[in-house]
Amino acid sequence: MNDKIREQYPYLYETHLHTSEGSACARSTGAEMARACKEYGYTGIIVTDHNWYGNTAVDRNLPWETWVDAFCEGYEHARAEGDKIGLDVFFGYEAGYQGTEFLIYGVDGAWLKSHPQIREATVEEQYSLIHEAGGLVIQAHPFREADYIPEIRLYPEWVDGVEGINATHTNPRSLGSRNPEYDRKALEYARTHNLPISGGSDIHFKKLFGGGTAFSRKITSVADYVQAILTGEDHVLTDGVVWYDKEGHILK
């Protein structure tokens, strides 16, 4: 069945990926991640390093524009390597609010530099600012339980979608946060609120899980990905082992 799914949806994208340049918890550089993802068979990746109130690897005391330049290094290195080897690399980031995290797509480093107010924005303000830029806000792993997450906070009015498949929770090779119940709850929550569902690995090192979101056509840019999710374009999700339709139902 997996071969048939891959034939129908041959363009696989890693939508949740960290680099050691931007995320303190990551162990592989942007270039290393790009090479590993190309070798695995991904068409493209979206680099989503932890921002200023997440587990960032960048000194928070730096001036804003200097901080943004340093924060983008993992993406820049991944993109440079991707250009060499034929892997599409797009920019995103993971925003942190006292442990509650959001995947942000559709803005770039230049936008961050010109919108320093995003640093102190509330969840509601974040949603408005990202929407004004034509971007997308996905709540990452909304039901994960961990030491850095003091409580489960849900914001159905202030997100565009839910990360319903997070390979860290279910892939047999995952060594942390592995609990399928987290994804089961996320999928149920997304369906209850009629929110689009995304899938990614939340990968921090080059030993990949193979999770992500796959399409029947090639995604041309991060803006194209944003529109594909917002308009409900057909796609499938995977944790690297199991495949799901875009509503999160297992494909058999």
Side-chain angles (χ1 to χ4, degrees), residues 26-101:
R27 302 204 301 270
S28 301
T29 66
E32 289 172 333
M33 295 301 287
R35 288 193 293 271
C37 288
K38 176 64 177 179
E39 183 177 345
Y40 186 90
Y42 284 99
T43 304
I45 62 176
I46 308 177
V47 176
T48 55
D49 278 320
H50 290 292
N51 77 338
W52 44 94
Y53 289 135
N55 196 19
T56 184
V58 185
D59 185 354
R60 295 179 179 86
N61 295 315
L62 290 171
W64 177 243
E65 292 196 7
T66 305
W67 187 93
V68 172
D69 284 337
F71 176 70
C72 292
E73 284 185 0
Y75 158 71
E76 295 290 355
H77 295 162
R79 188 184 68 171
E81 188 66 20
D83 288 345
K84 294 177 185 176
I85 62 179
L87 178 79
D88 292 332
V89 179
F90 305 128
F91 179 82
Y93 67 88
E94 187 168 13
Y97 288 84
Q98 297 180 338
T100 302
E101 294 177 308

Side-chain angles (χ1 to χ4, degrees), residues 3-15:
D3 289 341
K4 291 183 179 179
I5 295 171
R6 288 308 309 270
E7 287 177 9
Q8 188 175 354
Y9 302 93
Y11 301 101
L12 177 63
Y13 295 86
E14 177 58 88
T15 66

Side-chain angles (χ1 to χ4, degrees), residues 162-198:
V162 173
E163 184 183 50
I165 303 300
N166 184 300
T168 297
H169 299 159
T170 57
N171 190 285
R173 293 187 297 280
S174 175
L175 299 178
S177 298
R178 191 174 168 201
N179 188 332
E181 189 70 5
Y182 300 156
D183 279 4
R184 187 196 67 77
K185 289 180 179 179
L187 291 170
E188 181 179 346
Y189 168 65
R191 294 182 197 124
T192 297
H193 293 277
N194 196 30
L195 290 167
I197 298 167
S198 72

Side-chain angles (χ1 to χ4, degrees), residues 95-199:
Y97 288 84
Q98 297 180 338
T100 302
E101 294 177 308
F102 303 87
L103 296 165
I104 306 298
Y105 307 102
V107 299
D108 57 15
W111 185 90
L112 287 173
K113 286 183 179 181
S114 64
H115 292 79
Q117 67 269 39
I118 190 65
R119 185 170 186 171
E120 302 301 333
T122 64
V123 170
E124 296 84 352
E125 290 166 344
Q126 169 184 257
Y127 181 77
S128 297
L129 285 165
I130 298 302
H131 265 230
E132 287 173 8
L136 177 74
V137 180
I138 300 286
Q139 184 161 0
H141 44 69
F143 290 92
R144 177 183 292 175
E145 298 177 15
D147 291 343
Y148 74 94
I149 303 174
E151 61 180 313
I152 302 300
R153 304 184 187 94
L154 303 174
Y155 299 91
E157 322 95 286
W158 306 115
V159 298
D160 300 299
V162 173
E163 184 183 50
I165 303 300
N166 184 300
T168 297
H169 299 159
T170 57
N171 190 285
R173 293 187 297 280
S174 175
L175 299 178
S177 298
R178 191 174 168 201
N179 188 332
E181 189 70 5
Y182 300 156
D183 279 4
R184 187 196 67 77
K185 289 180 179 179
L187 291 170
E188 181 179 346
Y189 168 65
R191 294 182 197 124
T192 297
H193 293 277
N194 196 30
L195 290 167
I197 298 167
S198 72

